[in-house]
Amino acid sequence: MNIRKFKWILAFAGAVVVVLLLRGFAFTSCLIPSTGMENSIFQGERILVNKWSYGLRVPFMSLFSYHRWCESPVRRQDIVVFNNPAGIRQPVIDRREIYISRCLGVPGDTLLVDSLFSVISPEAQFNPDKKRLYSYPASKENLITSLMHTLSITNDGLMGSNDSTHVRSFSRYEYYLLEQAMNGKESFVQPLSNKENAEPNPLIVPGKGKFIRVYPWNMTLLRNTLVMHEGKQAEIKNDTLYVDGKPTQHCYFTKDYYWMGSNNTVNFSDSRLFGFVPQDHIIGKASIIWFSKEKETGLFDGYRWRRFFRTVK
């Protein structure tokens, strides 16, 4: 009897060890907390993250310095899981908050960005499904929500509000439907800002051993990267970047970096918020959706059943 109990305890302990090893060295599970990556991954779904996609980052970074076994680069358009680059209050990288975004730029890439550092591409620029911010009088809130319900426009919630103005996100097509529903009356729903005609700026993604030219529009981004990830003393004085006390027009980087973006461009939990993502913050690639449920009802529907064990794209 005692031997049988010992065998069960040993088997259970062995199973726990296997799970911990798999979680630490092969895969980990993440819950998607927001709508930022729709329609690739939906809020409330759980995914498996392949830690070997870009080489295994050795765990327990509080004990060991950064090292990656069988390292390979992140590829453009990969959906990547990584630690928060701006979470510098937690000095141990692998204990920081976890984010998920799509890789839009790899080391050495030149991206065209607007004044908010949103990546501009011909495909996205004219995509009717691309979300933009629109404002309208707060007094029209009931009318807007009624029209949204009638037109089957998804309610993503208010993106901002004050006593006089509310802000929501709509695609170009949704905005067109709202205008048509107002029967030709003067629209009170207006784009929050018109950045489309602004001159884009070329953003170079830093690579290991490379220099990046400093411009007024990228100066703050480069300074933050140098301070948070390169261990430099950098500050801006009189529109000039000083690194280790010396004025500079070029910044040198010792790491590879990536530019990450959300599928839903209204969601700012990406590189527009925290800047470049260093290689040592990369955990792995979003691999498989292993759990999906209908959030509103808590019941499984046919569409969500089909998402079980689907490859993340």
Side-chain angles (χ1 to χ4, degrees):
M1 186 69 178
N2 291 335
I3 294 177
R4 183 177 300 177
K5 286 184 177 180
F6 176 76
K7 287 182 177 179
W8 275 107
I9 293 173
L10 190 62
F12 179 77
V16 170
V17 170
V18 169
V19 170
L20 292 176
L21 288 175
L22 287 173
R23 182 178 175 85
F25 291 93
F27 293 92
T28 190
S29 174
C30 289
L31 171 68
I32 304 302
S34 69
T35 61
M37 291 307 297
E38 295 183 356
N39 288 325
S40 296
I41 316 173
F42 288 90
Q43 184 178 17
E45 292 183 333
R46 292 182 180 272
I47 62 170
L48 285 180
V49 181
N50 185 352
K51 292 188 173 184
W52 283 94
S53 297
Y54 312 116
L56 177 68
R57 186 179 69 178
V58 176
F60 312 115
M61 295 181 74
S62 59
L63 301 176
F64 306 102
S65 60
Y66 168 72
H67 184 71
R68 194 176 292 270
W69 293 336
C70 303
E71 184 171 352
S72 61
V74 178
R75 293 172 292 276
R76 299 179 193 87
Q77 297 303 314
D78 281 358
I79 296 181
V80 183
V81 176
F82 52 92
N83 295 107
N84 180 10
I88 56 177
R89 291 186 178 181
Q90 170 53 262
V92 182
I93 294 173
D94 60 1
R95 292 182 181 176
R96 296 178 183 176
E97 186 180 6
I98 294 176
Y99 281 92
I100 180 169
S101 291
R102 188 180 297 277
C103 178
L104 301 182
V106 301
D109 277 356
T110 299
L111 307 173
L112 289 179
V113 297
D114 62 19
S115 60
L116 297 177
F117 286 92
S118 295
V119 176
I120 300 173
S121 67
E123 295 81 6
Q125 194 170 9
F126 300 103
N127 183 358
D129 293 326
K130 180 181 178 181
K131 294 279 189 175
R132 294 172 174 80
L133 296 179
Y134 295 85
S135 63
Y136 55 89
S139 59
K140 302 291 187 179
E141 177 62 32
N142 291 336
L143 174 58
I144 287 292
T145 53
S146 176
L147 288 173
M148 290 172 62
H149 178 74
T150 301
L151 299 170
S152 299
I153 295 176
T154 303
N155 188 346
D156 293 327
L158 290 175
M159 299 296 173
S161 65
N162 56 38
D163 292 340
S164 61
T165 305
H166 284 180
V167 176
R168 285 186 180 272
S169 65
F170 299 110
S171 68
R172 287 185 176 183
Y173 180 64
E174 290 169 342
Y175 178 60
Y176 167 78
L177 292 178
L178 288 171
E179 284 191 315
Q180 294 300 307
M182 294 174 193
N183 297 320
K185 297 178 182 178
E186 184 177 354
S187 176
F188 52 80
V189 181
Q190 300 294 328
L192 188 62
S193 60
N194 186 8
K195 302 291 184 181
E196 296 184 18
N197 296 323
E199 186 71 22
N201 294 306
L203 176 68
I204 299 177
V205 182
K208 185 177 181 180
K210 303 295 184 181
F211 286 91
I212 302 294
R213 176 69 184 270
V214 179
Y215 295 98
W217 60 271
N218 71 353
M219 189 179 298
T220 300
L221 174 62
L222 295 179
R223 181 210 49 194
N224 293 345
T225 305
L226 291 170
V227 171
M228 291 191 296
H229 308 303
E230 294 285 334
K232 298 290 186 179
Q233 292 183 345
E235 58 182 342
I236 298 173
K237 297 180 180 178
N238 300 322
D239 297 326
T240 300
L241 178 62
Y242 286 77
V243 179
D244 294 333
K246 299 179 181 179
T248 184
Q249 293 184 341
H250 295 83
C251 296
Y252 179 80
F253 294 90
T254 63
K255 300 179 181 180
D256 282 331
Y257 292 85
Y258 299 90
W259 189 262
M260 304 292 183
S262 302
N263 280 5
N264 182 353
T265 56
V266 175
N267 185 303
F268 271 75
S269 296
D270 55 24
S271 285
R272 292 170 295 172
L273 173 67
F274 44 68
F276 297 113
V277 178
Q279 177 77 14
D280 56 11
H281 284 59
I282 302 293
I283 298 173
K285 182 181 179 181
S287 178
I288 295 173
I289 300 168
W290 70 266
F291 181 78
S292 181
K293 71 176 183 177
E294 184 62 50
K295 181 176 175 57
E296 288 76 14
T297 64
L299 300 175
F300 297 104
D301 61 17
Y303 174 69
R304 292 301 176 92
W305 271 113
R306 291 197 298 269
R307 293 184 60 79
F308 272 64
F309 299 104
R310 174 177 290 186
T311 301
V312 177
K313 297 180 180 178

